[in-house]
């Protein structure tokens, strides 16, 4: 090994040793979801999964899972006392540099607002969809129609569990009627289960109006668990989406032990890719 290669290897090893996932053998780590990509599925990370880390650390962890996409949330810290929701022009350039350096695209933003200011921010940052919970009335959706058409940014309506107004997908379907097709659902299957609903039935009912997911799995006590190890029937969900010809965003979310859940996220990426391979 030449000296420059030796030094380069040493630097890389030192960086890995200082990383939040040190101690992982290469074969234990995920390498993205290439089979999912062939189906038009953009597997990424909902950065709330790593919200105890800085934004840069969360993006580094996303990249180390082999994932190319992320959905950020407004409360994530870029630096102490500096949230993503309140960035200076210089801060925004730093965010873009962090993303570029790690090969990750910020495709989504939420759960957040969906007013003009948020659309402006999303356009500036290259964000493709906003995950939000707009007021559940026709007037709010009429306004969203205008903003979606003006900015060409999608709205992905999230379903927090009861007593959220969107806990039942039938409410979403009624509100989506006669509105821009770029307004649709962010399917959080875990939350549908927590509300006593069947996620497979929800996905079938929302066919054609699904924009994105908060994708995960839960145990019978409703706590988050790696994909395929819970009661969410994840493989059946993906089979149904393949049948529908769905193409879109799958930000993985695991809220259990945030920042210390790299192993769980790794297992989820591997499982998702393996299911996609078999489809």
């Amino acid at each position: 090994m030449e000296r420059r290669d030796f030094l380069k290897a040493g630097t890389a090893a030192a960086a890995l040793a200082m990383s939040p996932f040190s101690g992982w053998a290469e074969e234990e780590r995920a390498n993205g979801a290439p089979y999912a990509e062939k189906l038009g599925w953009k597997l990424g990370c909902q950065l709330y999964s790593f919200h105890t880390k800085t934004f840069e650390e969360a993006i580094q962890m996303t990249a180390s899972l082999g994932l190319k996409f992320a959905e950020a949330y407004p409360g994530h810290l870029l630096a102490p006392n500096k949230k993503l929701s309140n960035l200076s022009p210089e801060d925004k350039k730093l965010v873009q540099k962090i993303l570029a350096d790690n090969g990750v695209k910020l495709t989504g933003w939420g759960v957040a607002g969906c007013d003009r200011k948020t659309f402006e921010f999303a356009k500036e940052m290259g964000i493709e969809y906003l995950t939000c919970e707009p007021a559940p009335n026709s007037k709010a959706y009429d306004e969203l129609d205008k903003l979606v058409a003006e900015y060409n940014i999608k709205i992905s309506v999230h379903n927090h569990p009861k007593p959220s107004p969107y806990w039942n997908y039938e409410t979403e379907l009624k509100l989506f009627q006669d509105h821009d097709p770029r307004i649709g659902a962010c399917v959080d299957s875990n939350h549908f289960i927590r509300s006593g609903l069947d996620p497979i039935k929800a996905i079938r009912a929302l066919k054609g109006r699904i924009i994105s997911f908060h994708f995960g799995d839960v145990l019978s006590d409703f706590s988050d668990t790696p994909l395929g190890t819970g009661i969410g029937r994840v493989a059946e969900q993906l089979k149904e989406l393949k049948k529908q010809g769905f193409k879109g965003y799958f930000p993985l979310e695991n809220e259990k032990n945030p920042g210390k859940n790299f192993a769980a996220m790794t297992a989820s990426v591997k499982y998702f890719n393996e299911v996609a391979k078999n489809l």
Side-chain angles (χ1 to χ4, degrees):
M1 182 184 290
E2 294 185 11
R3 183 174 182 275
R4 65 176 179 273
D5 296 324
F6 177 81
L7 291 173
K8 185 185 295 183
T11 300
L16 180 60
M18 295 172 63
S19 76
F21 23 79
S22 59
W24 280 75
E26 195 62 36
E27 62 270 15
E28 294 175 322
R29 295 171 67 181
N31 293 303
Y35 290 103
E37 290 181 21
K38 291 179 180 179
L39 295 172
W41 295 349
K42 297 180 179 180
L43 185 65
C45 180
Q46 216 304 335
L47 296 184
Y48 192 80
S49 301
F50 302 138
H51 73 268
T52 58
K53 303 291 184 180
T54 66
F55 173 77
E56 183 169 16
E57 289 170 332
I59 291 297
Q60 289 171 345
M61 294 173 81
T62 299
S64 290
L65 289 166
L67 302 179
K68 304 172 186 175
F69 310 102
E71 179 180 306
Y73 83 102
H76 215 144
L77 294 179
L78 179 64
N81 302 316
K82 184 169 289 187
K83 296 180 180 180
L84 292 184
S85 58
N86 188 26
L87 300 179
S88 68
E90 292 74 20
D91 294 331
K92 292 174 184 176
K93 290 179 181 178
L94 176 58
V95 166
Q96 297 286 28
K97 183 178 187 304
I98 290 170
L99 292 166
D101 287 349
N102 289 279
V104 175
K105 178 175 175 52
L106 195 61
T107 51
W109 177 256
V111 177
C114 48
D115 55 7
R116 179 173 292 278
K117 182 179 179 181
T118 308
F119 272 88
E120 287 282 358
F121 173 78
K123 193 73 172 181
E124 184 178 2
M125 301 301 288
I127 292 167
E128 299 175 17
Y129 67 93
L130 299 175
T131 303
C132 58
E133 295 183 0
N137 58 62
S138 296
K139 182 179 178 181
Y141 279 77
D142 289 342
E143 290 301 313
L144 283 178
D145 280 336
K146 298 173 186 176
L147 291 168
V148 165
E150 181 179 347
Y151 290 94
N152 193 27
I153 292 173
K154 299 175 183 177
I155 287 291
S156 194
V157 179
H158 183 257
N159 58 288
H160 272 114
K162 295 177 182 178
S164 162
Y166 291 106
W167 71 270
N168 192 328
Y169 55 86
E170 292 180 358
T171 300
E172 294 179 291
L173 287 171
K174 290 176 183 177
L175 287 165
F176 295 162
Q177 285 181 350
D178 303 321
H179 289 286
D180 195 301
R182 288 168 290 188
I183 300 174
C186 168
V187 174
D188 190 317
S189 298
N190 289 355
H191 285 337
F192 278 137
I193 293 170
R194 291 177 179 120
S195 294
L197 299 174
D198 183 335
I200 310 295
K201 288 182 178 180
I203 289 170
R204 286 176 182 152
L206 290 165
K207 179 181 178 181
R209 295 306 292 244
I210 299 174
I211 302 295
S212 66
F213 284 80
H214 281 179
F215 209 70
D217 202 351
V218 288
L219 299 173
S220 57
D221 65 358
F222 301 139
S223 63
D224 288 13
T225 189
L227 296 184
T229 63
I231 62 173
R233 294 148 61 206
V234 171
E236 289 183 55
Q237 291 185 48
L238 295 179
K239 183 178 180 181
E240 173 61 27
L241 290 164
K242 168 68 162 48
K243 181 180 177 181
Q244 292 183 14
F246 173 78
K247 300 183 188 303
Y249 314 93
F250 288 86
L252 285 174
E253 187 170 40
N254 188 313
E255 298 182 13
K256 192 172 184 178
N257 300 319
K260 298 180 181 179
N261 52 3
F262 191 73
M265 294 290 279
T266 298
S268 289
V269 172
K270 289 184 173 182
Y271 182 83
F272 191 101
N273 191 53
E274 188 63 25
V275 173
K277 177 182 179 181
N278 292 330
L279 290 174

